[in-house]
Amino acid sequence: MAIHFYNTYSRRLEAFEPIDPPNVKVYTCGPTVYSFAHIGNFRAYVFEDLLQRHLEARGFQVERVMNLTDVDDKTIRGSREAGISLPEFTARYKKSFFEDIDSLRIKRATHFPAATGPENLAKMIEMIEQLLQEDIAYQAEDGSIYFRISKYPDYGKLAHLNLAELKPTGRIQSDEYEKENIGDFALWKAWDEKDGSVGWETPWGKGRPGWHIECSAMANRILGPEIDIHCGGVDNIFPHHEAEIAQSESVNRKKFVRYWLHNAHLFVEGQKMSKSLGNFFTLRDLLDKGFSGRELRYALIRVNYRLPLNFTFDGLGEARQSLLRIDEWIRRLQAIAGQAVQDPEFSAAKSNGFFAALDEDLNISAALAKLFNQIRETNRLVDHGQLTAGQAAALLNWWEQINQVLQLHEDTESVPKNVATLLGKRAQARADRNWSRSDTIRIEIESLGWHIKDTKDGQQLIKKLG
Ligand code: AMP
Ligand code: ZN
């Protein structure tokens, strides 16, 4: 069955056909490492993780690049304010970024190139040289190099802008600008005092790259001139991705990207979560409040990536409850399955709708509905003593496959195996209304260092202090 993605370029749902199946080349715009990433940024990375894992579940081999923007206006300003060198400053936030993606169970990309890597800078300079030679780029009086958008007639197509109506006005130095302010954008920024010790020598003078050429160069160097999928948040569409297309296609004369996928924003009370508005949380803030990476992962993943998602603590609480339901279901299945082999007759096929739902532009809410229907049905069978050990084993196997994509399984280290087994037995005792057995098991679990709270979503384990 074909996979479909909504392509921002065509504004249509399209069947997914990579250039060289089963290989899929994916470029994802990564963090600007000038502070801790906020959970809005992680919405983008969690969506990209879901994309990669689903493609892999469907047999594709994904090669993914996620760049680290470690030189731009913001990183330079930050290092100056902190009174340390740019590499020292960005190293801190690179480290925290990797810790955070691990907490969120985001699979590592194949490559994490940093803009200041010498091979990446060399590629940027090579591309700019070519653009200068072909008169697509020019050096302005301030010494900076600009891309002449009039030389790229398709400029504006990704963002669906009509250049004829917009009437380009002048040049833009800054990496980010409004659509109303369209103009030639900076490929290379001539050194000025504010840049301090940051700068690289080039044939046209000392300076530093613009943000857009960084991504074009890293994508081209590592993945080649043509890639299958390019992702980012909707705020990246213009001007960043528009500029990436113009640069790459002018240099290579080949279609740069087949499918453009953009996630909608994470909002807080109707506004985009962002550093500049100050309405943001980092993962660290939430961990300090007692939430786990797994809970945030679920809260971010459970809404389809193209729909805006409003961040609330109630939403996080709901994510926690849903995870408890899944945990409890797994424990019950484990208690019944024991060491049994899967029942081949018992097909989890009816549940395979999970992956089919994801085939449709990663429709995660439909996929999760399949999972929770299965949980409800199975719990009913268990309550009536109608699920065999072989059937439970088959369901556990199905869950394993789903969990390859969702990555929501409770860490085994956090709940020791003997405690998990006892919990499963207690769940069964409670389903059998065998309260005295349930209490005996509770005492046993307590003696192993855990409290149990019975909630409407099942048993909740809480580690005893000390
Ligand atoms: P930045 O570090 O600002 O370049 O952002 C890194 C990634 O996070 C980009 O793909 C952005 O589009 C994305 N992003 C930024 N803010 C949000 C938000 N509030 N919700 C979802 N994605 C976001
Ligand atoms: Zn980028």
Side-chain angles (χ1 to χ4, degrees):
M1 192 184 156
I3 295 182
H4 292 93
F5 290 129
Y6 181 84
N7 191 344
T8 307
Y9 203 87
S10 63
R11 300 284 198 276
R12 272 202 215 106
L13 216 50
E14 295 178 8
F16 177 59
E17 288 166 13
I19 300 163
D20 176 29
N23 301 309
V24 179
K25 294 182 180 186
V26 182
Y27 188 91
T28 49
C29 287
T32 306
V33 280
Y34 72 109
S35 64
F36 297 119
H38 62 67
I39 59 172
N41 300 129
F42 286 118
R43 182 180 195 202
Y45 310 142
V46 164
F47 138 64
E48 291 155 1
D49 186 58
L50 175 67
L51 170 69
Q52 167 158 10
R53 291 178 184 276
H54 181 57
L55 286 170
E56 288 172 348
R58 286 307 202 192
F60 292 103
Q61 304 256 337
V62 177
E63 181 179 9
R64 175 148 86 99
V65 173
M66 177 177 272
N67 70 291
L68 304 171
T69 301
D70 61 353
V71 56
D72 78 327
D73 299 344
K74 291 185 274 201
T75 44
I76 292 175
R77 197 184 319 123
S79 73
R80 201 175 53 232
E81 283 168 8
I84 53 178
S85 73
L86 182 66
E88 260 181 289
F89 178 73
T90 56
R92 282 185 194 169
Y93 297 110
K94 286 179 188 170
K95 182 167 171 282
S96 60
F97 171 71
F98 286 111
E99 287 165 2
D100 288 355
I101 60 173
D102 286 350
S103 302
L104 289 168
R105 306 171 180 203
I106 293 173
K107 190 169 182 167
R108 297 270 175 125
T110 327
H111 315 271
F112 284 103
T116 59
E119 63 288 12
N120 297 321
L121 282 159
K123 185 71 187 173
M124 294 171 214
I125 292 170
E126 179 195 312
M127 289 176 80
I128 297 171
E129 275 279 86
Q130 184 183 333
L131 293 170
L132 280 167
Q133 269 161 24
E134 295 181 18
D135 199 33
I136 297 167
Y138 61 93
Q139 187 160 31
E141 310 79 58
D142 63 355
S144 296
I145 313 283
Y146 291 87
F147 185 97
R148 211 186 283 282
I149 59 169
S150 59
K151 290 276 183 160
Y152 185 74
D154 283 348
Y155 194 80
K157 276 215 168 152
L158 179 70
H160 289 219
L161 300 178
N162 185 340
L163 276 202
E165 273 174 23
L166 277 167
K167 290 248 179 306
T169 51
R171 288 194 288 267
I172 300 124
Q173 245 267 343
S174 143
D175 288 329
E176 290 173 72
Y177 52 91
E178 299 301 318
K179 288 176 191 165
E180 293 68 36
N181 223 346
I182 208 160
D184 293 352
F185 59 86
L187 292 166
W188 191 265
K189 302 183 183 189
W191 184 87
D192 78 21
E193 276 155 31
K194 289 203 293 305
D195 294 343
S197 61
V198 180
W200 291 268
E201 290 299 342
T202 69
W204 53 82
K206 187 173 169 180
R208 61 185 171 94
W211 173 38
H212 317 309
I213 194 72
E214 295 181 6
C215 279
S216 281
M218 291 186 261
N220 273 264
R221 184 180 72 74
I222 300 167
L223 298 174
E226 295 171 291
I227 63 181
D228 296 298
I229 303 178
H230 196 314
C231 305
V234 286
D235 56 317
N236 283 164
I237 297 174
F238 189 88
H240 186 50
H241 290 163
E242 198 72 63
E244 276 191 50
I245 299 175
Q247 297 162 150
S248 302
E249 298 196 357
S250 298
V251 166
N252 298 312
R253 309 275 164 195
K254 284 186 175 145
K255 190 166 174 62
F256 175 41
V257 170
R258 285 203 168 189
Y259 305 90
W260 285 96
L261 272 56
H262 291 102
N263 62 279
H265 281 146
L266 184 68
F267 285 89
V268 185
E269 284 157 21
Q271 282 187 306
K272 176 192 167 190
M273 181 175 287
S274 74
K275 288 274 157 59
S276 53
L277 292 172
N279 61 351
F280 65 92
F281 292 99
T282 63
L283 173 61
R284 282 131 212 273
D285 296 334
L286 300 184
L287 296 179
D288 287 346
K289 288 184 192 293
F291 292 97
S292 65
R294 176 174 88 125
E295 287 165 344
L296 180 61
R297 178 180 174 88
Y298 187 75
L300 293 176
I301 219 170
R302 73 191 176 125
V303 171
N304 293 356
Y305 76 94
R306 287 201 295 121
L307 296 178
L309 166 58
N310 199 30
F311 174 78
T312 61
F313 282 96
D314 283 350
L316 260 185
E318 282 165 27
R320 173 173 285 177
Q321 294 306 322
S322 302
L323 288 171
L324 287 174
R325 271 185 75 193
I326 296 175
D327 293 347
E328 177 76 355
W329 175 63
I330 293 167
R331 279 191 216 109
R332 296 184 89 181
L333 292 178
Q334 284 168 338
I336 296 171
Q339 301 303 315
V341 285
Q342 282 185 60
D343 177 352
E345 296 291 305
F346 183 80
S347 159
K350 60 179 187 300
S351 322
N352 283 347
F354 179 88
F355 292 99
L358 289 182
D359 285 343
E360 288 309 306
D361 200 29
L362 302 178
N363 189 345
I364 187 73
S365 47
L368 289 172
K370 306 273 178 201
L371 170 64
F372 282 102
N373 282 340
Q374 184 58 267
I375 291 178
R376 201 171 312 117
E377 254 179 55
T378 315
N379 280 336
R380 206 166 38 229
L381 289 176
V382 174
D383 290 345
H384 293 95
Q386 287 169 348
L387 195 81
T388 67
Q391 290 170 339
L395 284 164
L396 283 171
N397 180 57
W398 178 67
W399 165 252
E400 281 298 312
Q401 291 166 36
I402 291 180
N403 192 51
Q404 285 301 313
V405 173
L406 293 180
Q407 294 293 309
L408 293 176
H409 202 24
E410 179 67 304
D411 287 325
T412 39
E413 317 99 86
S414 60
V415 180
K417 208 165 180 343
N418 54 344
V419 176
T421 311
L422 285 169
L423 265 188
K425 288 189 177 153
R426 184 166 178 275
Q428 188 55 51
R430 291 173 65 75
D432 296 343
R433 304 188 167 270
N434 186 340
W435 309 119
S436 68
R437 181 163 160 70
S438 157
D439 284 342
T440 313
I441 300 175
R442 171 199 285 278
I443 293 164
E444 212 177 323
I445 291 175
E446 297 261 350
S447 75
L448 293 168
W450 298 79
H451 292 298
I452 305 179
K453 218 165 107 188
D454 292 309
T455 73
K456 72 176 181 7
D457 292 297
Q459 310 172 92
Q460 190 183 344
L461 262 190
I462 302 152
K463 184 126 182 66
K464 289 184 183 170
L465 295 173

